[in-house]
Amino acid sequence: MILPGSMLGVLGGGQLGLMFSLSAKRMGFKTTVVDPDPDAPAFSIADRKIIGSYSDPELLADLTASCHAVTTEFENVPADSLAVLEQALTVRPSSHSVATCQDRILEKSFLRDNGFPTAPFLTLPGESSPADFKLHPLLPGILKASREGYDGKGQWSVSSYEELSRILINTTGPFVLEKRLDLQAEYSIVLARSHDGEMAFYPVAENIHESGILHISAVPADIPLELSELIKKTAANIANRLDYVGVLSVEFFLGKEGGLYVNELAPRPHNSGHYTIDACQSSQFDQHVRVLTGIPLARTDLLSPCAMGNLLGHLWTDQSPPDLQGILEHPSAKLYLYGKKHARPGRKMGHFTVFGTHVTEAKLHARNLLSRLSGNPMNHESPDFQFTASRKNNLSPPAEKT
Ligand code: ADP
Ligand code: MG
């Protein structure tokens, strides 16, 4: 067991790195945060900050010499860098797990090869010529860049073969082409799996997305016990199959016809699990610290139904936050602002968690609080934000981390 007082390294200084560092510090650990962006939110509380590239050999040597264990806040760090660190340090999740989850082709193939249900898909290598593939049954579909996509970035909605051909001619792959499912709802579950295979599960969250970005998560999802058990069992089987060590999040689709599909895996705490900070006996970030250091898992019991609302960059005007009075004055809402210097449409600037006696009430509070935030109409209409519409031709490219 790595004890409090030890130095924990975290690759990535966004909001997830920030919340991980807060849990680590509360438990008496020190943190070294690495991020290429000098304004990364987690730098504000890191014991040591390193501004640099995740693949810089000197930086990796420094981490090896100065940290007792290293983790990552997001899946897009180079898995090769984690493999280098792994030779000398405890690294959780492993480079192998991150490599599988950071590449949609590997991820989908892993799921299919192990019998987990996914939306029908085909993988399209870099040099794809549409004529090479029997793509018609997958249309209308969603073309997804294999790497670096998140929050709907790197995705194109394609309804015809001609549209798909145009994109494939003009854009370099590799891609996954997925059939667009008629969705009834979306769910996610966050679990923690320790090095000896022990697991702890948080309750299933119902997720409401807008333009491909998470808008509201409501917990516990108001679903039959059989469905939540199926979600839990499927996620547990995935974690076991990957021999995963760390906090893992699994996103699910519920089709209109009643079928449950695995959408994607996140090898880290998840936006839909932020509610665990306030509404569970231990948070997803506490568990992340525990798994990394070998401290036994804590209880995950939900203390109250709740809902989380995301505060996205389009709500900011000239880099100023919206009027947050409604959230601040609400007696059961807790506000989190990540301290990001620059707001951009779709960028995650903060969130709030609000409680209710039933999840329906909590969800209603979240909707009301979000609708009171006016937002900047100009930003809202920007092509970046309106990517559901712009997906018709080209979604915002996979770019910098929001
Ligand atoms: P990201 O990595 O950006 O979260 P996802 O694959 O999870 O990418 O897609 C983002 C959102 O887009 C999903 O939560 C869902 O709302 C919608 N979506 C993605 N794939 C499909 C699909 N095959 N059918 C229907 N909706 C989809
Ligand atoms: Mg997703």
Side-chain angles (χ1 to χ4, degrees), residues 17 21 32 90 99 110 114-115 127 160 169-170 178 190 233 240 254 297 304 306 323:
S21 300
T32 295
T90 298
F110 159 80
N114 288 284
E127 305 302 309
S160 69
I169 287 163
N170 293 318
E178 241 176 76
V190 177
K233 204 174 101 203
N240 283 330
L254 183 67
L297 300 179
S304 166
C306 62
D323 180 359

Side-chain angles (χ1 to χ4, degrees), residues 324-333 369 372:
L324 296 165
Q325 197 124 351
I327 298 172
L328 291 170
E329 287 176 353
H330 195 287
S332 74
L369 290 172
R372 280 187 60 181

Side-chain angles (χ1 to χ4, degrees), residues 209-286:
H209 289 80
E210 277 193 4
S211 306
I213 306 182
L214 185 64
H215 185 54
I216 291 175
S217 287
V219 188
D222 197 4
I223 50 176
L225 185 63
E226 303 81 65
L227 180 56
S228 64
E229 285 301 312
L230 180 60
I231 288 173
K232 186 172 155 185
K233 204 174 101 203
T234 306
N237 289 341
I238 290 171
N240 283 330
R241 206 75 203 124
L242 268 176
D243 199 13
Y244 189 88
V245 181
V247 171
L248 176 72
S249 318
V250 186
E251 296 179 10
F252 290 88
F253 294 144
L254 183 67
K256 280 252 164 70
E257 83 299 350
L260 184 72
Y261 306 87
V262 179
N263 173 27
E264 61 172 352
L265 315 176
R268 53 170 170 78
H270 196 255
N271 192 173
S272 70
H274 289 354
Y275 74 90
T276 61
I277 298 173
D278 298 303
C280 290
Q281 277 191 27
S282 63
S283 78
Q284 58 174 350
F285 301 101
D286 292 350

Side-chain angles (χ1 to χ4, degrees), residues 3 35 63 96 98 103 113 211 242 257 309 312 344 355 383:
L3 293 174
D35 201 294
L63 286 179
H96 173 257
V98 173
D103 182 315
D113 296 348
S211 306
L242 268 176
E257 83 299 350
L312 301 178
R344 285 189 298 275
F355 300 91

Side-chain angles (χ1 to χ4, degrees), residues 75-95:
E75 56 273 32
N76 291 332
V77 296
D80 287 350
S81 298
L82 295 175
V84 168
L85 294 168
E86 236 159 31
Q87 288 168 16
L89 284 174
T90 298
V91 176
R92 291 174 181 156
S94 70
S95 60

